[in-house]
């Protein structure tokens, strides 16, 4: 089970310190893996603050080159050098606001994998594709065009664009069907099973129902991960879910 917290461009140094102070007395489980993706400027800071906790820190994006004349970009090598284990690639906000297409996302994912970072590759349809019944087709195309080589240690996050930050989520069957399709495509492509996370308006009210969906292996949480109390409540829901289902 995996909990990813994408802070996006939120939380400054003071709030990050406050957040991490709230984690110190918490009893983490070795059944649930957690990774926080802070703003790039605070990756190193957060990494130092959580260094004694079983929490990984990751980058929200990386470039497809390790070095060079790319002003403002983030090198996967530097993320790794600063202690990151994971990197998110292909988030819909990068696709929309930074015009990252499948071709570029594949290059970014490949350079991350080549640098020994584990990638969380985001895919997901927009509302009109969902309404027209083209969601599976759209996500399959994204996957086939974005998957880098040697993806075995990485994860997929299914994040319907229309669900991110809106409070709307697909129903149980839609999420399960999409995760099942994603797993099938991955198995056919790399001959390995990998975790598929659900992302989009996950919160304390819906986390239990989402974790009960058979093909969901964890969640990617944005807004509801910004307060330590909520992040830990989501983490605890994952621990309880595993206990309830006797999964060790
Ligand atoms: C996200 O940004 O990946 C996300 C899922 O955001 P939210 O949980 O706020 O919808």
């Amino acid at each position: 089970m995996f909990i990813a917290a994408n802070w996006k461009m939120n939380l400054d140094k003071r709030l990050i310190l406050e957040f991490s102070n709230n984690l110190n007395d918490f009893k983490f489980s070795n059944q649930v893996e957690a990774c926080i993706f802070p703003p790039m400027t605070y990756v190193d800071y957060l990494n130092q603050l959580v260094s004694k906790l079983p929490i990984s820190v990751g980058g929200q994006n990386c470039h497809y080159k390790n070095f060079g004349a790319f002003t403002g970009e983030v090198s996967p090598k530097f993320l790794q050098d600063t202690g990151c284990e994971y990197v998110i690639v292909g988030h819909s906000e990068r696709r929309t606001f930074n015009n990252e297409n499948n071709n570029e996302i594949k290059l970014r994912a490949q350079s991350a994998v080549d640098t020994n970072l584990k990638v969380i590759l985001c895919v997901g349809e927009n509302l009109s594709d969902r309404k027209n019944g083209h969601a599976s087709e759209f996500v399959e195309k994204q996957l086939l065009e974005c998957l880098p080589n040697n993806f075995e240690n990485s994860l997929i996050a299914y994040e319907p664009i229309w669900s991110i930050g809106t409070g709307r989520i697909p129903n149980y069957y839609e999420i399960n069907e999409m995760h099942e399709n994603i797993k099938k495509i991955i198995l056919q492509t790399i001959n390995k099973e990998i975790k598929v996370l659900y992302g989009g308006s996950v919160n304390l009210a819906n986390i239990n129902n989402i974790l009960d969906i058979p093909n969901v292996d964890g969640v990617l949480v944005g807004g509801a991960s910004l307060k330590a109390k909520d992040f830990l409540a989501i983490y605890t829901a994952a621990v309880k879910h595993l206990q309830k289902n006797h999964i060790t």
Side-chain angles (χ1 to χ4, degrees):
M1 186 64 71
F2 196 101
I3 310 292
N6 177 17
W7 287 353
K8 313 190 188 197
M9 204 168 71
N10 294 298
L11 303 192
D12 59 15
K13 208 168 182 178
R14 181 183 64 81
L15 291 172
I16 291 175
L17 179 62
E18 196 177 300
F19 188 106
S20 75
N21 284 340
N22 283 308
L23 305 182
N24 288 332
D25 296 327
F26 185 79
K27 210 170 164 317
F28 288 92
S29 153
N30 52 15
Q31 311 291 330
V32 177
E33 201 177 338
C35 183
I36 299 177
F37 299 83
M40 293 295 190
T41 40
Y42 299 123
V43 161
D44 193 35
Y45 181 59
L46 179 65
N47 218 353
Q48 288 175 37
L49 291 174
V50 299
S51 64
K52 295 201 169 58
L53 303 175
I55 289 191
S56 315
V57 175
Q60 295 177 11
N61 171 46
C62 71
H63 196 248
Y64 52 83
K65 291 277 190 195
N66 278 334
F67 308 100
F70 301 103
T71 302
E73 286 288 351
V74 179
S75 157
K77 177 85 190 81
F78 298 169
L79 284 178
Q80 193 239 18
D81 203 27
T82 203
C84 287
E85 195 177 337
Y86 288 90
V87 63
I88 295 173
V89 177
H91 192 282
S92 65
E93 285 152 17
R94 299 285 315 176
R95 292 176 188 262
T96 304
F97 302 128
N98 299 76
N99 298 319
E100 290 179 12
N101 59 26
N102 288 346
N103 183 36
E104 186 173 347
I105 288 161
K106 179 175 181 162
L107 293 175
R108 288 176 186 249
Q110 190 64 62
S111 80
V113 166
D114 292 346
T115 315
N116 290 327
L117 289 168
K118 294 173 189 160
V119 170
I120 298 186
L121 175 64
C122 299
V123 292
E125 80 285 358
N126 61 29
L127 192 55
S128 65
D129 280 317
R130 168 56 66 184
K131 282 187 172 160
N132 295 336
H134 296 145
S136 297
E137 207 181 302
F138 183 86
V139 167
E140 175 167 359
K141 185 171 186 302
Q142 278 186 323
L143 275 175
L144 296 178
E145 292 184 358
C146 295
L147 269 181
N149 295 323
N150 306 320
F151 193 70
E152 296 76 18
N153 295 322
S154 296
L155 301 90
I156 301 289
Y158 168 54
E159 299 207 299
I161 299 169
W162 52 275
S163 177
I164 296 178
T166 61
R168 299 177 58 194
I169 63 169
N171 68 38
Y172 181 102
Y173 300 100
E174 289 166 335
I175 295 176
N176 196 44
E177 185 186 41
M178 185 64 85
H179 280 226
E180 201 176 351
N181 282 345
I182 292 172
K183 287 181 179 198
K184 218 179 280 169
I185 294 164
I186 297 289
L187 196 59
Q188 282 163 0
T189 314
I190 65 169
N191 199 23
K192 178 112 201 288
E193 285 178 21
I194 62 161
K195 287 193 172 75
V196 181
L197 313 180
Y198 171 75
S201 293
V202 174
N203 59 35
L204 300 187
N206 60 30
I207 182 67
N208 289 319
N209 289 340
I210 291 170
L211 293 177
D212 276 343
I213 300 173
N215 282 299
V216 169
D217 302 310
V219 284
L220 174 47
V221 191
S225 72
L226 294 173
K227 291 198 172 100
K229 194 165 130 301
D230 296 347
F231 168 73
L232 292 175
I234 287 172
Y235 182 96
T236 302
V239 175
K240 289 195 172 148
H241 171 83
L242 295 177
Q243 286 166 350
K244 186 178 81 179
N245 293 289
H246 307 291
I247 302 169
T248 54

